[in-house]
Amino acid sequence: MKFAHEFRDAEKARILIREIEKLADEIEITRTRPINIMEVCGGHTHSIFRYGIETMLPKTIELIHGPGCPVCVLPMGRVDDCVVIAENPGVIFTTFGDAMRVPGSKKSLLQAKAEGADVRMVYSPMDALQLARKNPDNEVVFFALGFETTMPSTALTLLQAQAENIKNFSVFCNHITIVPTIKAVLDSPDLHLDGFLGPGHVSMVVGTAPYDFVADFYSRPVVVAGFEPLDILQSIWMLLKQIQDGRAEVENQYTRIVPEDGNDPALAAIGKVYELREFFEWRGLGSIDHSGVKIRDAYADFDAERKFDIPNAKIADPKSCQCGEVLKGVLKPWQCKVFGTTCTPATPLGALMVSPEGACAAYYQYGGITRQKTGAA
Amino acid sequence: MNVVQLPPRRKLGKIHVPTVTLAHGGGGKAMKDLIDDVFISAFAGASAPALEDQARFDLAALAVHGDRLAFTTDSFVIDPLEFPGGDIGKLAVCGTVNDLAVGGAKPLYLSCAVIVEEGVSLDMLRRLALSMAKTATDAGVGIVTGDTKVVPRGAADKLFITTTGIGVIPKGRDISVSRAQPGDGVLVNGWLGDHGAAILAARGDLALDADIQSDCAPLHGLIEALLCAAPGTRFIRDATRGGLATVLNEVAEASNVSILIAEDQTPLRPEVCGVCEILGLDPLYLANEGKIVIVVPPDEIPAALAAMRVHPLGEKAALIGHIGDGEAGRVVMKTVFGGSRIVDMLVGEQLPRIC
């Protein structure tokens, strides 16, 4: 825990909060409405709730919990595809833990497992590859998802499988890329955002340059932020400072981890293994052009989409779900029609209620807000 | 006349095969050998099973301990069966002893039902039985009756144990989940989450070099010391599956009170926090097998803490918060960082986050 406690110092937090309050007081727009700051990344959402950061901020600042939880934005059709693959005889389907509970149109992976599919939780794609080595008579499929943070580890695992000539390993690729997503949010006609906390883990791979368009074309400031509470507070302060100065720039608060130009070996692995999909479906946000990646033809032998006959069906989100509006910051989670009533962490309708990084689950579990209590209709 | 020389009858309790087979559950000699060799020989030190279909107790001998019987049962399934700080045998004894003790009872007798999967190593079975016996002896309870079943490979995950326990509650003790009152202190007897973190690390599918031992231990001695020092203790519960957070929510709901705890007063080892940070888990929900949550009236808090801290299983005892008069059923944690957050019941299993 060394190098973490330093970023959880309550006294320093109080000083920062005072500075944030002072700055927010001085910013003109707070006279008429709060300053809306979107944290793009689910990891930030988690930290914000885990440390009670929202409870410390002045009312003039509102945090909007964006689309940066890859589990939350996974469309139902892709979960259905996972289930179809997992139910193939002889398949060992491997996945990160929190993806197991995401509801498909008929069932989740957890339910498929209960019904007999061999679904196993792994902590990294390398664990899945190890399973393939140990089970040569089974096809081991790794459910690859996540933004640029997890893309390199999947790519390097696939390259390792190729180097070892492993024939019973494949990847069901659902990796997504952050930039088109931020653009989709910025293009939303309902946009009420004044600035972004940029995703720290993604930026560790891609650097900070990919966000320049946010500042240059949309005139919104971005501060790439770390995940400890003082990181987040300092980043909010940096955003406020830009807003006060009338600047819109990309700044890097997370310099101890994020290199300005990204991580070359990771980017090389990404470039080697993946190519952009023309479009990719997002839960709650619909189809976003060039927002997903697929495995290049050169690695077709490791592509589960080509090895298995999958339906690839588009399944509309339940009509009552308002995940999209919540993801774009148009609605607060508790303003959704089904929040806390038919949609709860125990019975999630929308994906935002599934992962602890999802805004709705975080509010429900850490914020203690139910729809009835807010008086929403 | 030629006399046929029969080989000498094999002594009881001598099994010469390396693994349990279905024959060991068949009800015949193989089964008797298994029970004699593995269980009776191990449990003889902890008790003296009469090999009847039931254990028999002298009521007068029970009554000297108090005026109410406490009766509990629990099943134990865990992977791996042996882990740093314990094994399923120790766990099965501690779990039931603790379930009796948290009600204020003196634990006296246990039963032990074992379901074994065909193919389990007999050496391991012997180790687990000896571990049960040692733990029972240490806890001063007798394992007085039991049952063994062998199921085909695939019908069970290696070994399941069910223990049932009987204890006696001394007169005048009234410990209940619904007795917490505003102003009461919320205490724990030490580091939380050790068992859950140790099991995660022991599963071997994490590339973590975490030196964490399970806290698995019988707590009746500690609880007795606590109740002598703080006889007004309102509530005790072992924070097993679901961890501290679950117990606190149960108290808050049953007693119709709010609870406020302080993160910086809650004992958590850095190693446990580290494992949780990496996996995206919350240590408040990790299982414990040697930790209790205690609610005591305000005037007995110092005595309760002092009594626990001189006991080896309570050295790190801490006051972690108080019962409040806020929204009933709500548990709130003041974070180490100065904010506050709701600590709710866990929904389903805690699953590691993707990143």
Side-chain angles (χ1 to χ4, degrees):
Chain A
M1 296 301 286
K2 198 165 159 54
F3 310 122
H5 287 308
E6 297 89 325
F7 297 92
R8 297 174 190 177
D9 184 315
E11 186 47 41
K12 286 186 179 136
R14 275 190 283 276
I15 296 168
L16 263 171
I17 291 283
R18 276 200 297 276
E19 291 300 311
I20 286 171
E21 283 169 346
K22 213 169 108 190
L23 257 182
D25 258 0
E26 291 167 12
I27 294 172
E28 191 58 34
I29 51 174
T30 59
R31 308 281 176 263
T32 51
R33 65 170 179 84
I35 298 169
N36 291 325
I37 295 173
M38 174 176 277
E39 84 275 5
V40 178
C41 176
H44 284 145
T45 309
H46 184 81
S47 286
I48 286 164
F49 284 99
R50 164 78 181 78
Y51 293 101
I53 290 173
E54 280 206 320
T55 64
M56 304 172 77
L57 290 174
K59 288 193 170 25
T60 44
I61 296 171
E62 274 203 19
L63 295 178
I64 312 289
H65 315 296
C69 165
V71 173
C72 299
V73 293
L74 196 65
M76 260 191 191
R78 298 300 276 189
V79 179
D80 287 354
D81 294 342
C82 288
V83 170
V84 167
I85 295 172
E87 288 180 340
N88 270 277
V91 163
I92 299 173
F93 193 87
T94 59
T95 170
F96 291 127
D98 51 356
M100 290 177 82
R101 252 203 304 258
V102 184
S105 67
K106 294 184 188 70
K107 59 183 118 170
S108 66
L109 281 166
L110 214 52
Q111 287 164 314
K113 177 176 158 62
E115 290 171 14
D118 193 349
V119 179
R120 303 190 196 181
M121 188 174 73
V122 291
Y123 295 93
S124 84
M126 280 296 186
D127 294 343
L129 186 59
Q130 180 62 11
L131 269 176
R133 291 186 193 107
K134 283 185 181 169
N135 297 275
D137 297 332
N138 296 87
E139 172 74 15
V140 175
V141 182
F142 175 65
F143 178 25
L145 77 165
F147 288 95
E148 281 85 346
T149 317
T150 50
M151 264 188 216
S153 61
T154 307
L156 290 167
T157 305
L158 194 153
L159 292 170
Q160 182 69 31
Q162 188 193 44
E164 292 180 34
N165 198 23
I166 293 176
K167 301 287 185 197
N168 65 324
F169 176 74
S170 55
V171 167
F172 182 44
C173 182
N174 286 271
H175 283 300
I176 43 183
T177 173
I178 196 81
V179 167
T181 321
I182 298 177
K183 189 168 181 308
V185 169
L186 283 163
D187 285 336
S188 163
D190 313 310
L191 183 73
H192 301 297
L193 299 177
D194 298 300
F196 289 89
L197 291 181
H201 290 146
V202 166
S203 308
M204 176 178 72
V205 175
V206 303
T208 59
Y211 313 119
D212 285 347
F213 76 98
V214 182
D216 295 345
F217 296 105
Y218 293 89
S219 304
R220 298 293 196 284
V222 178
V223 175
V224 173
F227 294 86
E228 294 300 333
L230 287 184
D231 286 326
I232 294 173
L233 285 184
Q234 188 190 10
S235 301
I236 291 171
W237 181 85
M238 288 166 74
L239 275 176
L240 294 183
K241 195 80 188 113
Q242 285 203 46
I243 293 168
Q244 187 192 40
D245 296 346
R247 289 181 289 127
E249 296 168 12
V250 178
E251 293 181 310
N252 184 6
Q253 181 275 336
Y254 204 23
T255 49
R256 65 185 186 278
I257 298 288
V258 173
E260 303 290 327
D261 299 323
N263 180 317
D264 284 339
L267 288 170
I270 287 174
K272 193 168 182 182
V273 170
Y274 311 108
E275 60 185 340
L276 283 176
R277 291 177 194 264
E278 210 168 316
F279 53 83
F280 193 77
E281 192 76 15
W282 291 59
R283 193 162 193 140
L285 295 176
S287 179
I288 301 178
D289 292 351
H290 303 124
S291 64
V293 297
K294 61 182 177 183
I295 292 168
R296 288 184 186 277
D297 290 344
Y299 306 100
D301 290 348
F302 300 97
D303 188 353
E305 275 182 86
R306 304 186 213 207
K307 271 191 172 177
F308 293 91
D309 188 16
I310 57 170
N312 202 11
K314 279 190 183 176
I315 310 281
D317 294 331
K319 277 192 181 144
S320 50
C321 263
Q322 295 181 289
C323 287
E325 283 89 336
V326 174
L327 285 172
K328 287 184 283 192
V330 179
L331 288 182
K332 284 286 190 183
W334 64 86
Q335 293 170 322
C336 169
K337 283 182 280 191
V338 289
F339 177 86
T341 52
T342 49
C343 186
T344 68
T347 55
L349 278 184
L352 290 180
M353 202 46 112
V354 175
S355 164
E357 291 183 5
C360 294
Y363 264 102
Y364 191 94
Q365 296 221 269
Y366 290 145
I369 297 166
T370 61
R371 188 172 164 74
Q372 291 91 334
K373 281 176 193 147
T374 62
Chain B
M1 178 178 135
N2 288 333
V3 176
V4 178
Q5 192 69 41
L6 291 172
R9 220 180 137 86
R10 209 149 43 100
K11 282 186 184 169
L12 283 179
K14 291 290 178 190
I15 300 181
H16 299 286
V17 291
T19 56
V20 175
T21 67
L22 284 177
H24 290 122
K29 179 161 185 335
M31 183 166 177
K32 182 159 170 37
D33 279 354
L34 177 82
I35 292 170
D36 285 347
D37 183 334
V38 176
F39 296 109
I40 301 295
S41 65
F43 295 167
S47 60
L51 297 179
E52 299 283 0
D53 278 347
Q54 72 292 123
R56 299 166 192 178
F57 308 107
D58 184 277
L59 288 178
L62 290 178
V64 298
H65 296 292
D67 61 355
R68 284 155 295 163
L69 270 184
F71 180 48
T72 187
T73 192
D74 211 341
S75 296
F76 297 85
V77 295
I78 191 160
D79 176 29
L81 295 177
E82 296 171 293
F83 46 82
D87 54 63
I88 190 171
K90 183 178 180 185
L91 200 61
V93 173
C94 292
T96 294
V97 163
N98 293 345
D99 281 351
L100 291 169
V102 294
K106 175 179 172 52
L108 293 173
Y109 301 110
L110 299 185
S111 76
C112 159
V114 181
I115 295 175
V116 192
E117 184 188 18
E118 176 189 21
V120 161
S121 134
L122 267 155
D123 279 349
M124 185 177 67
L125 204 56
R126 287 190 188 99
R127 283 199 303 276
L128 296 177
L130 286 170
S131 172
M132 285 190 84
K134 180 181 183 315
T135 313
T137 304
D138 292 349
V141 297
I143 301 173
V144 292
T145 187
D147 180 51
T148 307
K149 294 281 186 296
V150 180
V151 295
R153 191 184 287 273
D157 186 9
K158 298 185 277 296
L159 183 78
F160 302 153
I161 300 179
T162 298
T163 47
T164 299
I166 286 180
V168 178
I169 304 171
K171 196 171 181 180
R173 280 189 185 165
D174 182 16
I175 295 167
S176 159
V177 69
S178 57
R179 289 189 66 218
Q181 293 175 22
D184 288 351
V186 179
L187 284 63
V188 295
N189 64 315
W191 303 115
L192 295 165
D194 288 4
H195 177 74
I199 296 303
L200 278 172
R203 283 191 185 146
D205 47 4
L206 295 173
L208 287 174
D209 187 18
D211 181 20
I212 306 170
Q213 301 257 318
S214 165
D215 59 352
C216 183
L219 296 169
H220 61 295
L222 173 83
I223 291 171
E224 200 55 42
L226 164 76
L227 289 174
C228 285
T233 296
R234 317 248 198 230
F235 165 78
I236 311 172
R237 183 161 296 173
D238 46 345
T240 53
R241 194 173 36 171
L244 172 72
T246 302
V247 175
L248 293 178
N249 274 281
E250 286 167 355
V251 183
E253 192 176 324
S255 292
N256 220 23
V257 292
S258 64
I259 298 178
L260 179 64
I261 60 167
E263 187 172 19
D264 60 1
Q265 301 300 313
T266 305
L268 290 164
R269 287 182 203 277
E271 299 91 325
V272 171
C273 293
V275 167
C276 287
E277 291 274 332
I278 289 166
L279 298 178
L281 302 176
D282 188 336
L284 300 186
Y285 296 94
L286 285 187
N288 307 273
E289 289 297 341
K291 295 298 164 344
I292 43 176
V293 181
I294 309 128
V295 178
V296 293
D299 57 330
E300 292 190 353
I301 294 170
L305 281 174
M308 284 198 287
R309 284 175 182 162
V310 296
H311 193 282
L313 296 173
E315 286 169 0
K316 292 287 172 192
L319 171 69
I320 62 166
H322 286 88
I323 305 293
D325 52 8
E327 190 181 340
R330 174 129 303 175
V331 181
V332 176
M333 172 183 263
K334 189 160 174 50
T335 72
V336 66
F337 179 66
S340 61
R341 68 165 165 112
I342 303 286
V343 178
D344 208 348
M345 287 283 242
L346 191 61
V347 176
E349 192 187 353
Q350 232 193 155
L351 296 172
R353 300 200 317 272
I354 171 174
C355 61

